[in-house]
Amino acid sequence: MLYCKTSRKNKQLSLIEIKRFEYKTVEIKPKGTWKSRFDATEIDQILNEFGKEEWELITTEDKNGIRDGSTEYFYYTFKREI
């Protein structure tokens, strides 16, 4: 998308390209008997798959358990240019 901008100083028009993005949020839950294991290798594989599809990781957020405050899962948010 192009945007037209006028300079106040010299009254010239210039075109500025505005980038557009789409976003995706993925939830990754732990595995194991007490759901307390996060497998770093598996998480890397998931993140690398998104990277191959041109998704860029922009933030992570953990979701804590209600009772003990332990991390129940993570949200990973990605963006890519459209």
Side-chain angles (χ1 to χ4, degrees), residues 1-77:
M1 177 187 294
L2 293 176
Y3 174 73
C4 187
K5 179 180 178 183
T6 306
S7 169
R8 290 182 189 194
K9 208 176 222 185
N10 56 16
K11 305 291 186 203
Q12 289 183 335
L13 287 177
S14 59
L15 293 177
I16 300 170
E17 183 177 353
I18 296 177
K19 294 182 179 184
R20 295 179 57 198
F21 297 94
E22 62 179 326
Y23 297 87
K24 178 183 283 209
T25 299
V26 177
E27 177 182 282
I28 298 179
K29 293 184 178 184
K31 297 180 178 172
T33 308
W34 297 101
K35 295 190 180 224
S36 60
R37 272 195 65 204
F38 287 95
D39 184 349
T41 303
E42 182 180 353
I43 292 171
D44 285 348
Q45 289 173 349
I46 293 168
L47 297 177
N48 284 326
E49 284 301 314
F50 282 106
K52 288 177 187 174
E53 296 175 7
E54 299 184 10
W55 289 101
E56 176 185 354
L57 179 65
I58 56 172
T59 187
T60 61
E61 179 183 350
D62 66 327
K63 185 67 175 171
N64 294 329
I66 295 170
R67 294 187 185 128
D68 61 2
S70 64
T71 299
E72 288 187 2
Y73 49 87
F74 285 93
Y75 287 117
Y76 294 81
T77 303

